[in-house]
Amino acid sequence: MAQADDFSLRGFVMPEIRLFPQSPSSPHQTNSDLSVAGEITAKYFFSADKNQSIVITPFGRLDQRDHRRTHWDLREARYGIVKGAWELRVGFDKVFWGVTEAVHLVDIVNQVDVIEDPVKQEVRLGQPMIRLRTAQKFGTFDIFVLPYFRERTYPGINGRPATDIPVDTGLTRYESSRGQHHIGGAARYSNSFGDVDLGLSYFQGTGRDPILQPALSKNGDLVLAPLYPQIKQASFDVQATKGAWLYKMEGYWRSELGRQYEAATGGIEYTFYGIAGTDGDLGVVAEYALDSRGMVARAPYENDGFFALRWTANDMASTSLLVGVDIDANTGARSFRLKADRRLNDNYHISIEGYAFGDVPQSDPVYSIADDDYLQIRIARYF
C-alpha cells in the first residue's frame, strides 16, 4: 500500500476457480470456470483541516466463459465533507443494513451483484446517491436521495450457477414510466442503548428484487424478463449482546403492486470461548426466517431455519471457518454452505466457499440452481 499524509492507495488482484461436481443442465455450461478479479481504492483527503475527501473504488473481473461476468463496476466514486456532527457524501457509495447471518432482509439501498455472489447475494453494486448523516446524542440519522436505479446482474448463457431458464435483461420493464431515472429515497435512525443496537429504516422507490416473468427473446427462445415494481418499505434491525449470547432480529413491512406483506428473520448465537484449551472460539448459530407470502415469495427464505457453527482461531493469520445448513420447513429442501478464510502472509489471503443442495423439489425457490453445487477457491494478493 502506498500512502502519504493525504493520499492512500490499496487494492488486490484475485484469481478464482469454481468447480461444479454435477453435470450442467445446459450444453453451453461446463464443470469449471476460471476468472481473475481486481479492485483498487484511492482515498484523497484535502482542505486545511482534511475534512473533505474523494474516494474512488473501481472493481473488475475477467471471466473465462461468461461474457456477463466479465464486467467492471464503480463500487465507490464519491466526494465527502464533514462539518462537526454532519457529514455529506455525493456519488457512488455502498451502504449495509442488517444483523443476521443467513439473510439480510432489510439491506435494500444497493443492488445485488448476483454474478459475484450467486447464492448468498451479499456483494453489492455501487449506488449513485446523495447521503446526509448527522450523529447526535439521541442517535444517528441518515437521509438518502437515490437519483438512478441499477439493474440486478445475471449470468449469461455460459454462466454457472444460473437459473435453468436464462434471464434476458434486454427485456427489463419498470412499473415507473421514468424507468432507471425514477428518484428514490431512504431514511434511517440508529442508536445503541446499552447492550442493544437498534436501526429503524424507511425506503421508497424502485424495488431491488425484480419479478421474473416468462417471455420470448428476440430469437423466440423462452427467457425470464425482469419487472421492477415501485415499493414502500419500513424495516427494523436489532441486536443485543448479553455475555456469550448474541440475539439478532430484522424484518420489514412492504407495499408492492397494491399488495402488502411482511418478512422477518431472527435468531441467537452463543460463543464458547477458548475451546479445548486453545485460543479458538466456537460460535453456534440458529436462525429462522418467515415471509407472509409463503410459497409465492420470490426469496428462498419463506419458512426456513438456518443452523451453523462458526470457528475463529484468533491467530495471526485470522483463520476462520463457517459450516451451515438451511432447511425449508415447507418443502424439506436443504442447502449447505461452507466458508473458510486464512491469511497466508502480510500480502496473500485464501478463501474457500462451497454450496450444495439436497432434496429440492420443483416447488422450492432454489430448484432452478439445485444442480449447480460448487466449490470456489480464491487467492488474493493485496497491495
Side-chain angles (χ1 to χ4, degrees):
M1 179 174 68
Q3 184 168 344
D5 290 342
D6 53 3
F7 178 78
S8 65
L9 185 68
R10 59 182 175 83
F12 64 82
V13 176
M14 183 174 62
E16 173 196 284
I17 183 171
R18 283 180 176 175
L19 303 173
F20 301 88
Q22 297 165 294
S23 299
S25 58
S26 167
H28 302 285
Q29 299 172 328
T30 65
N31 289 85
S32 65
D33 184 37
L34 295 172
S35 67
V36 60
E39 182 177 283
I40 297 176
T41 297
K43 294 183 180 180
Y44 177 59
F45 294 87
F46 59 99
S47 73
D49 52 2
K50 301 294 190 295
N51 69 328
Q52 299 184 62
S53 64
I54 293 176
V55 179
I56 300 177
T57 305
F59 169 87
R61 180 178 295 279
L62 180 63
D63 191 86
Q64 176 190 18
R65 306 188 187 283
D66 188 356
H67 72 282
R68 287 192 185 174
R69 201 165 185 246
T70 295
H71 71 298
W72 77 281
D73 179 48
L74 276 177
R75 301 304 201 206
E76 298 173 292
R78 57 175 168 81
Y79 162 80
I81 181 171
V82 178
K83 288 286 189 180
W86 295 84
E87 179 183 9
L88 175 68
R89 292 184 179 185
V90 179
F92 283 76
D93 206 354
K94 292 198 296 183
V95 177
F96 173 77
W97 299 344
V99 294
T100 53
E101 175 69 34
V103 57
H104 301 299
L105 294 176
V106 304
D107 192 21
I108 194 172
V109 173
N110 291 81
Q111 179 60 276
V112 173
D113 191 350
V114 172
I115 52 180
E116 283 299 315
D117 190 4
V119 178
K120 200 173 180 187
Q121 300 186 357
E122 288 191 336
V123 177
R124 304 283 170 153
L125 300 173
Q127 169 63 43
M129 68 176 71
I130 300 171
R131 177 182 182 180
L132 181 63
R133 161 176 280 202
T134 180
Q136 304 294 336
K137 292 181 179 179
F138 46 84
T140 300
F141 291 88
D142 288 277
I143 297 176
F144 303 85
V145 178
L146 310 172
Y148 184 79
F149 173 77
R150 302 200 63 190
E151 295 181 20
R152 181 166 292 193
T153 60
Y154 289 98
I157 192 171
N158 297 315
R160 197 177 181 194
T163 54
D164 292 333
I165 303 175
V167 178
D168 190 339
T169 55
L171 299 177
T172 297
R173 297 184 297 123
Y174 295 88
E175 181 184 2
S176 170
S177 60
R178 292 183 56 84
Q180 289 182 279
H181 298 280
H182 181 92
I183 298 176
R188 179 172 173 84
Y189 166 78
S190 59
N191 202 2
S192 296
F193 304 91
D195 298 330
V196 179
D197 299 320
L198 174 67
L200 301 173
S201 310
Y202 180 78
F203 173 91
Q204 183 169 334
T206 305
R208 273 48 181 163
D209 179 20
I211 301 170
L212 299 178
Q213 301 175 319
L216 294 178
S217 69
K218 61 181 180 181
N219 297 323
D221 299 321
L222 178 64
V223 295
L224 297 175
L227 168 65
Y228 290 96
Q230 291 295 298
I231 70 169
K232 298 177 181 178
Q233 176 175 303
S235 65
F236 73 93
D237 54 272
V238 60
Q239 178 173 284
T241 305
K242 302 292 183 181
W245 290 92
L246 187 63
Y247 304 89
K248 302 172 286 185
M249 187 173 185
E250 60 183 84
Y252 65 71
W253 165 91
R254 182 181 292 179
S255 175
E256 173 188 273
L257 297 176
R259 182 182 180 185
Q260 298 180 5
Y261 57 91
E262 305 82 30
T265 181
I268 58 173
E269 181 172 348
Y270 184 83
T271 301
F272 297 92
Y273 297 100
I275 58 170
T278 69
D279 294 329
D281 301 331
L282 181 66
V284 181
V285 182
E287 295 179 355
Y288 173 70
L290 181 66
D291 193 309
S292 65
R293 292 172 293 178
M295 291 298 293
V296 300
R298 300 193 295 277
Y301 298 93
E302 86 290 342
N303 185 15
D304 292 58
F306 174 72
F307 307 94
L309 296 176
R310 188 204 319 272
W311 174 66
T312 305
N314 294 320
D315 59 355
M316 295 295 292
S318 300
T319 307
S320 66
L321 173 68
L322 182 140
V323 291
V325 58
D326 293 284
I327 302 174
D328 191 309
N330 288 329
T331 68
R334 301 186 304 275
S335 60
F336 305 89
R337 68 176 69 171
L338 173 149
K339 184 174 183 180
D341 290 276
R342 181 177 174 84
R343 223 177 38 241
L344 301 178
N345 56 36
D346 291 341
N347 297 321
Y348 286 89
H349 175 271
I350 184 172
S351 65
I352 300 173
E353 292 187 39
Y355 295 93
F357 304 91
D359 298 327
V360 182
Q362 290 188 359
S363 58
D364 194 274
V366 301
Y367 177 77
S368 62
I369 62 170
D371 57 354
D372 283 339
D373 299 353
Y374 73 96
L375 180 70
Q376 172 181 285
I377 303 173
R378 292 173 170 174
I379 299 178
R381 169 61 164 92
Y382 287 87
F383 57 87

